Amino acid sequence: MDEVDILMVEDNSNDAELTMRALKKISLANRVHWSKDGAEALDFLFCTGNYAHRSPCPTPRLVLLDIKLPKIDGVEVLRRIKADERTRAMPVVMLTSSAEERDVMESYKLGVNSYIVKPVEFSRFVQTVADVGLYWMITNKGPH
Amino acid sequence: MPAFGSVRSRLLAPVLLASVPIAALVIYGSLEAHSMAIKNAERELQSVLKLAADEIRTTMTGADQFLGALAQAPSVQRADAKSCQQLLTTLHKEHRAYANLFVATPDGSVVCSAVPSPKPINIKDREYFIGALKTGKTTIGRPNIGRFVRRAVIPIVHPIRNERGQTISIVGGAVDLATFGNRFAQEATNRSGLTFTVRDRDDTILARFPDNDRWAGSDHANAPVTKAIRALRKAGVAEAIGVDGVNRIHAFLPVFEGRLEELWLIAAVDKAELLAEIDAAFIRDMLLLVLIVTIAGIGAWTLGDVAIRHPVAALLHATQRICRRDYQARYGGAYPGGELGVLARSFDEMASTMQQHVSDIQHAREELMRRNRTLKTLSECNQALIRANTEVELMQRICKLIVEHGEYALAYVCATDASGKLQLVAHAGFDAHALTPDNSLLWRSPATAALTRREYIIVTDPAHDGLLRTRGPNHRELWKASVTLPLFAADAVIGTISIYSESTDRFDGAEIDLLAELADDLAYGMNNLRIRVARAQAAEEILRLNSELEQRVQERTAQLEATNRELESFSYSVSHDLRAPLRAIDGFSMILEEDYAPTFDDEGRRLLAVVRNNSQKMGQLIDDLLAFSRLGREPVVAVDFDMQKLVEDVLTELRAQKQDHWPTIEIEPMPIARGDRSLLRQVWVNLLSNAIKFTRATTEPRIKIGGEGEAHERRYYVRDNGSGFDMRYYDKLFGVFQRLHSADEYPGTGVGLAIVHRVVTRHGGRVWAESKVGAGATFYFSLPSGVNHG
């Protein structure tokens, strides 16, 4: 498997497609792995379950995490990411529709690096994703 | 008793004192009498002397005449011895005044003398003889004690001259002084103790009476009397010791003063004798005085004893008895007269009054003690009221206290049961008097009467008390009077209390008042206990209800919480799940537009735009709805913060979103706000967004923002010069989803102002606005300065 730069955890395929489109615009699309639910995301990150064959287990450079996810929700995933030594340093950006104060606080408490509310308007959405990707992949100096 | 000695002595004292002036008077009188007597004696003596002197002079004059007559006798003239002798003798016998008569020849020899002499006498050497011869006149010689007559005489000679003037003979005589003196003394006075002395000029006693023989011829030049006379040398009186040693009052008188024949006559009385009577009288008087004083003294003493000491003793005795608190003491006996009687009477009165007072005090004290007992009982009962837990306990205790502290014989309390019938509930004193209570006989007791009459009943005749009458014959000695008082709670009689006394006089007005108070307190206590029981029950009920209520509240709260949670999750889903499809709609339609643009004509593109617009709008609507609903749930946390800064922050944010056609903003200073910063932020966002939105069409858009603070609230405003709104639709301004402009003119969901209204209202403030169509609008809101509530 290729090096994965970005792990996108999103259960809504529409949203996923739109996100991909946005990332494509800034040429980041080809190294994106898409997990449809929290459990799969964790399997992927920790190379367990279906992804047990992945070895070594490199961590992506960015995680775009939605909150409302089946099986294990985004907050839980965040918690586990930030609880584990191997993945703690990895930047996690919540990219979610929820503007709920509670979700925001919870996420920051768990150590999320950024919290983005998905705008409804497409162009804005695209812009936002592009900005985010650009920032975290290019502008920001990652822990690697 | 020694104490009274002084009273009697005091009586004596005046007596004795009175005797002093009397004694003085007597003494004075005596002294006066003395001097008076002496004066009288002197006067008498002097007059006696005067008489004697006169008589002597008379006698001498007589003698002169006699001799003159005798000289005529021839025998005498011839000096014939024989014949004259006879003559002389005869005459001598007749005239006793002469001690002798004689004739002498001129040569001095005595030829004849009445008193014969043993031998011839010659008198030529005699002064008088010489003198007579010389003068030829009658000459008186010096008094002397005749040689041969042996007595005091005054010689007197009468020379007989012839025609030629020759003395032929001399006739003479010796005037007898002694006899004269004696006779005189005896005649002149008849007083004993009188002495009569005749002296010559040389203080030789010529004659003295009495005891002439003894004294005649003696010379007492040195006798005190002599000295006294010599001191005076003239007539006078003197007190002196006489020649015989006896103190006499002397009076002396010279006769033939200055002449040869000078004589001193002295008459004297024995002073002691003179005064003897006076002295005796004095002594007598003094003795009498003493006697009188003694008698008076005894009389006073006795009088004092009887009139004073005895009554005083009686008074003293009575007083001492009173001191020993025997107030029945009285004077006793008849009242003496005068002040003592008044005193005794007053004493008796005072004793009576005192007795009365003491008796009154005694009564008052007894009454006080009785009252005290009852008050103490009342006090103890009040304490029992506080401490008792049940009605029966209270009543028992009260009865016991009445009997023990109040010292009454019996006490019992009856209470009305539910049906209004009396029941004997508590009693005291029954055991002591072997009484057993019987409820069935209550109808006969005064308790029933008190219940029906609703006032207190006093029974003084045991026969009228039905309850205790049948207890046995000796109960009549147990009590003499009783009082039964009804117990009132509000207006109802809830029982009675009966109190029995062993004396008849205990239930006077004041006692009844106290017992009535006791009854009231007891009724109050009983009532209180009932209330307390009811209250306890009520409290239990309340607790029960409370716990029920709490349970229900808990259930409701749980329900509400469940509902809340549902709502929250609902909002959450809305915010999350609704947006996703919207995003898809907008996104994919955008993709469609981008990717398949060439295949679309204008109409197609327009249709797509509509689709996109609407999805965006829906998204906005959802956001607004969510915000609005969130406001209802979140608590308002009020803090003070800088409002101006908030406004500036909001403006900066808004500006970032919309760069073009940015209006001119004027920010006036505004006061610190007290409220929820994030909620108020929303308010400013909405108001300022509106202001910006509605000035979009204005050529020179201007927005003014400011505020002012007052004591009770702070007001803020946003003024724009935009399109304004019609005041006719003011009511709809702050309604949810109410819009005063069409969506084509000004986009917006109509929730913004509703949100502003809700937030400000939740802060306890007000929102209002003014506008004129085409002239802009001003939106105001106020926030209270004090504590606001969520």
Side-chain angles (χ1 to χ4, degrees), chain A residues 3-21:
Chain A
E3 271 288 322
V4 172
D5 280 342
I6 301 174
L7 168 64
M8 180 176 68
V9 188
E10 173 65 65
D11 65 327
N12 187 317
S13 48
N14 292 334
D15 276 345
E17 193 179 328
L18 291 174
T19 308
M20 287 299 290
R21 198 177 164 91

Side-chain angles (χ1 to χ4, degrees), chain A residues 12-15 17-18 21 25 66-68 96-100 102-103 117-123 125, chain B residues 568 571-572 575-577 579-584 586-588 590-591 594-595 612 615-616 619 626 630:
Chain A
N12 187 317
S13 48
N14 292 334
D15 276 345
E17 193 179 328
L18 291 174
R21 198 177 164 91
K25 278 226 162 92
D66 191 10
I67 290 183
K68 298 272 284 176
T96 174
S97 312
S98 171
E100 286 295 302
R102 193 188 48 201
D103 289 331
V117 176
K118 288 188 226 170
V120 170
E121 200 192 324
F122 178 67
S123 53
F125 176 72
Chain B
E568 269 189 49
S571 309
Y572 192 66
S575 72
H576 199 274
D577 298 339
R579 280 217 196 96
L582 277 176
R583 200 173 21 259
D586 187 61
F588 280 93
M590 194 62 203
I591 294 171
E594 281 178 4
D595 290 357
R612 287 194 62 219
S615 63
Q616 275 163 25
L626 275 177
R630 208 182 302 131

Side-chain angles (χ1 to χ4, degrees), chain B residues 5 46 55 79 109 151 163 196 272 359 366 437 495 542 549 607 626 641 680 740 742:
Chain B
Q46 280 178 322
E55 222 183 284
S109 61
R151 24 150 76 88
E163 309 80 27
F196 187 74
S359 163
E366 277 162 25
I542 286 172
L549 196 66
L607 291 169
L626 275 177
F641 61 90
L680 287 169
L740 297 186
S742 68

Side-chain angles (χ1 to χ4, degrees), chain B residues 547-566:
Chain B
S547 61
E548 259 188 47
L549 196 66
E550 262 189 45
Q551 208 164 346
R552 264 194 238 155
V553 163
Q554 273 173 11
E555 282 166 19
R556 282 295 152 73
T557 313
Q559 280 177 16
L560 279 169
E561 277 174 359
T563 311
N564 254 10
R565 274 196 297 276
E566 279 176 25

Side-chain angles (χ1 to χ4, degrees), chain B residues 145 197 204-220 242-245:
Chain B
I145 309 280
T197 311
T204 306
I205 293 178
L206 298 170
R208 189 179 186 277
F209 298 94
D211 281 335
N212 182 45
D213 298 331
R214 183 170 162 215
W215 297 102
S218 59
D219 174 9
H220 290 273
V243 294
D244 57 354

Side-chain angles (χ1 to χ4, degrees), chain B residues 725-755:
Chain B
F725 60 86
D726 192 342
M727 285 293 278
R728 276 188 294 180
Y729 304 111
Y730 184 83
D731 295 334
K732 294 192 179 166
L733 200 58
F734 296 102
V736 183
F737 292 142
Q738 299 285 354
R739 305 206 64 235
L740 297 186
H741 299 272
S742 68
D744 295 334
E745 289 175 291
Y746 296 102
T749 53
V751 183
L753 284 179
I755 289 175

Side-chain angles (χ1 to χ4, degrees), chain B residues 261-439:
Chain B
E261 61 271 31
E262 183 176 300
L263 274 179
W264 279 89
L265 300 178
I266 304 169
V269 283
D270 188 344
K271 188 179 178 198
E273 258 183 67
L274 173 71
L275 300 177
E277 217 174 283
I278 293 172
D279 286 345
F282 173 72
I283 287 171
R284 189 195 65 224
D285 287 343
M286 289 304 280
L287 281 175
L288 200 63
L289 182 68
V290 166
L291 185 69
I292 288 171
V293 166
T294 308
I295 291 172
I298 290 172
W301 189 261
T302 313
L303 186 71
D305 204 60
V306 167
I308 294 178
R309 191 197 69 85
H310 182 258
V312 170
L315 267 178
L316 179 69
H317 186 61
T319 309
Q320 284 175 338
R321 275 177 71 191
I322 290 203
C323 288
R324 287 195 293 269
R325 290 165 190 262
D326 175 5
Y327 297 107
Q328 299 196 322
R330 296 286 181 280
Y331 173 72
Y335 293 124
E339 292 88 344
L340 275 179
V342 175
L343 179 64
R345 237 181 281 267
S346 308
F347 175 85
D348 279 352
E349 264 180 53
M350 180 191 77
S352 298
T353 310
M354 206 181 282
Q355 194 175 22
Q356 187 61 41
H357 277 176
V358 165
S359 163
D360 287 347
I361 289 172
Q362 198 64 32
H363 281 142
R365 198 180 290 168
E366 277 162 25
E367 205 178 297
L368 204 69
M369 275 172 54
R370 267 211 304 270
R371 206 66 68 226
N372 255 11
R373 269 204 297 271
T374 313
L375 277 170
K376 177 124 204 302
T377 312
L378 194 60
S379 158
E380 294 284 329
C381 287
N382 279 344
Q383 293 205 19
L385 275 174
I386 297 167
R387 299 214 185 97
N389 293 319
T390 66
E391 267 188 60
V392 175
E393 188 190 326
L394 173 64
M395 292 190 265
Q396 289 279 26
R397 212 179 282 189
I398 298 271
C399 288
K400 195 149 164 286
L401 286 171
I402 289 173
V403 166
E404 282 177 8
H405 285 273
E407 292 177 18
Y408 282 106
L410 309 170
Y412 61 83
V413 176
C414 302
T416 51
D417 62 10
S419 61
K421 219 166 82 104
L422 269 181
Q423 300 279 334
L424 179 65
V425 181
H427 60 85
F430 281 20
D431 298 332
H433 300 106
L435 292 172
T436 40
D438 184 346
N439 263 329

